[in-house]
Amino acid sequence: MSVSNADFLRYSRQILLPDVGETGQFDLFQAHVAIVGVGGLGNLVAQYLAAAGVGKLTLIDDDKIELSNLPRQLLFSDKDIGEYKSATAVLKLSNAYPGCNLQAVTDKLSEHNRQDLLAHMELVFDCTDDFGTRQLINLTCLQVKAPLITAAVANFSGQIFMVDMESAPDSGCYACLFPQDSHISQTCQSVGVLGPMVGVMASMQALLGMNLLLGIPVPTGKLLRFDGRAMQWREASLSRDLQCHVCGGRVEQPRSQSQIPDSSLLCEGGH
Amino acid sequence: MSHKISASNRSETSIKVMLNDEQIFLSSGLNVPGLLQLQNIAASSVALVRNGQVLPKSRWKETLCRDGDQFEVFALVAGG
Ligand SMILES: [Zn+2]
């Protein structure tokens, strides 16, 4: 395994990092990553990863591009309105970064396809905008044992954390922090959002994910929250909820799907 | 009856906690749902950090506010 001369030049500023080197760049080439949700967060995460040389990206979103998306979903322009977000992003990123193998899924992640779509992923990014899908991604990542980097943004609030029951079981899962019966008071549709606010969270998501793919030690079990008005980050340690409906019953149990409730029990949120 | 104790009329049973960087005086013995109710915060739409650590919702009821506790309460955000 080695990096070609052209690639060595293209990725030289990454390879130059002692934590990356040719080995790290090769790890990126070999990685297959899923990005669920190709809105504001997904646009930027996908572009960062494709540009960095991640080998294979699967972009999952059944939404179509709307005029109100354009201020923050920077891959899209007026003439893309009405097209699938996932397919359009794949088209544009494939042109810009031919080294990256991109695949669009224009279906919504659902009970029927979730296992197939997320199995064998080295890493999954939750960039969606609805709570029901977030719960479904969390459940599926637990089942297929894929690390999950989840971020969300609305108004001037951003939240990001990683879920990985393999490396950090004590930190719990998404549902340990936000149980399925939680109520969402803030979405981008109801309270609005500024483009760079999305950019901050997407950059953190992409950076954390790349560090993970590169084998750079990442802080586990840490919830980061960003206040875009005060320009302030806050962090907290995540806790596993021993009564969590998704991961709680699996304490000290061998991994088996029978321990995980059927996702039909999860709320089907969305808007 | 209110658990809130005015600053001018603090008894021995009053404790001081921080909630999102604001000082609050409470009577001792108040649990987390009680604190949220007192602050008119809908428990169903927030998560809570106590002294730097997320406190899972299933443990709110059994958790009493203690003098010097630092709470951060924040809304669930789901936008992307
Ligand atoms: Zn859990």
Side-chain angles (χ1 to χ4, degrees), chain A:
Chain A
M1 55 159 189
S2 71
V3 177
S4 74
N5 284 345
D7 280 348
F8 194 89
L9 203 58
R10 174 184 284 260
Y11 303 111
S12 56
R13 298 304 185 275
Q14 298 176 177
I15 293 170
L16 207 55
L17 291 166
D19 285 322
V20 182
E22 278 193 67
T23 322
Q25 190 61 51
F26 197 76
D27 288 343
L28 293 182
F29 290 162
Q30 297 293 106
H32 188 183
V33 171
I35 298 171
V36 191
V38 192
L41 294 171
N43 259 247
L44 291 160
V45 171
Q47 184 162 21
Y48 268 125
L49 297 189
V54 169
K56 208 169 172 196
L57 287 177
T58 299
L59 309 187
I60 305 165
D61 201 323
D62 70 328
D63 268 358
K64 292 178 176 170
I65 299 160
E66 295 173 28
L67 183 61
S68 65
N69 300 147
L70 302 186
R72 66 192 177 283
Q73 301 182 16
L74 306 182
L75 291 172
F76 308 144
S77 53
D78 290 79
K79 65 179 184 348
D80 301 320
I81 289 167
E83 303 290 339
Y84 281 112
K85 290 182 178 182
S86 48
T88 304
V90 162
L91 199 68
K92 301 209 173 185
L93 293 173
S94 298
N95 283 332
Y97 313 104
C100 182
N101 178 356
L102 287 127
Q103 181 198 4
V105 176
T106 55
D107 297 323
K108 191 177 172 70
L109 187 102
S110 69
E111 180 54 41
H112 312 291
N113 60 17
R114 62 190 185 86
Q115 292 262 6
D116 288 340
L117 288 176
L118 300 186
H120 315 301
M121 290 295 166
E122 233 171 294
L123 176 61
V124 174
F125 287 91
D126 181 348
C127 301
T128 58
D129 66 355
D130 89 79
F131 187 58
T133 309
R134 287 180 178 276
Q135 293 282 353
L136 210 53
I137 294 168
N138 174 59
L139 172 70
T140 313
C141 284
L142 255 63
Q143 290 173 334
V144 303
K145 302 178 192 175
L148 164 65
I149 297 177
T150 181
V153 59
N155 199 348
F156 285 91
S157 297
Q159 298 166 355
I160 175 172
F161 59 101
M162 189 170 90
V163 175
D164 187 1
M165 298 305 277
E166 299 295 310
S167 69
D170 293 342
S171 304
C173 74
Y174 181 80
C176 288
L177 183 63
F178 298 123
Q180 62 169 26
D181 55 1
S182 303
H183 290 190
I184 313 136
S185 48
Q186 301 192 41
T187 67
C188 294
Q189 290 175 354
S190 64
V191 295
V193 71
L194 292 176
M197 190 62 215
V198 182
V200 168
M201 301 314 295
S203 297
M204 291 292 282
Q205 224 178 348
L207 178 60
L208 182 56
M210 279 179 63
N211 284 353
L212 193 75
L213 293 173
L214 289 163
I216 297 171
V218 296
T220 53
K222 192 188 272 194
L223 164 69
L224 290 167
R225 295 189 294 125
F226 181 61
D227 176 342
R229 265 196 218 93
M231 294 283 153
Q232 190 175 35
W233 286 94
R234 283 174 188 270
E235 67 174 75
S237 301
L238 291 162
S239 305
R240 187 170 189 174
D241 183 352
L242 297 180
Q243 291 171 42
C244 172
H245 63 284
V246 176
C247 75
R250 305 194 314 149
V251 182
E252 270 139 23
Q253 298 276 351
R255 258 173 207 280
S256 76
Q257 300 205 357
S258 61
Q259 298 293 328
I260 301 169
D262 189 86
S263 66
S264 59
L265 300 173
L266 299 175
C267 77
E268 282 298 329
H271 42 251

Side-chain angles (χ1 to χ4, degrees), chain B residues 10-79:
Chain B
R10 239 172 277 156
S11 71
E12 263 96 26
T13 58
S14 137
I15 59 165
K16 186 177 81 182
V17 303
M18 299 293 287
L19 178 70
N20 292 348
D21 296 333
E22 269 184 46
Q23 239 178 47
I24 306 176
F25 292 95
L26 306 165
S27 61
S28 60
L30 190 65
N31 65 5
V32 167
L35 169 68
L36 296 181
Q37 198 177 13
L38 200 61
Q39 298 295 311
N40 289 318
I41 296 169
S44 61
S45 62
V46 295
L48 182 133
V49 170
R50 175 170 160 270
N51 303 327
Q53 178 109 31
V54 170
L55 187 68
K57 217 162 256 186
S58 66
R59 289 179 47 209
W60 286 7
K61 213 174 263 178
E62 71 196 34
T63 303
L64 300 182
C65 300
R66 281 184 295 202
D67 192 47
D69 273 347
Q70 306 218 10
F71 293 103
E72 293 168 48
V73 176
F74 53 92
L76 154 63
V77 172

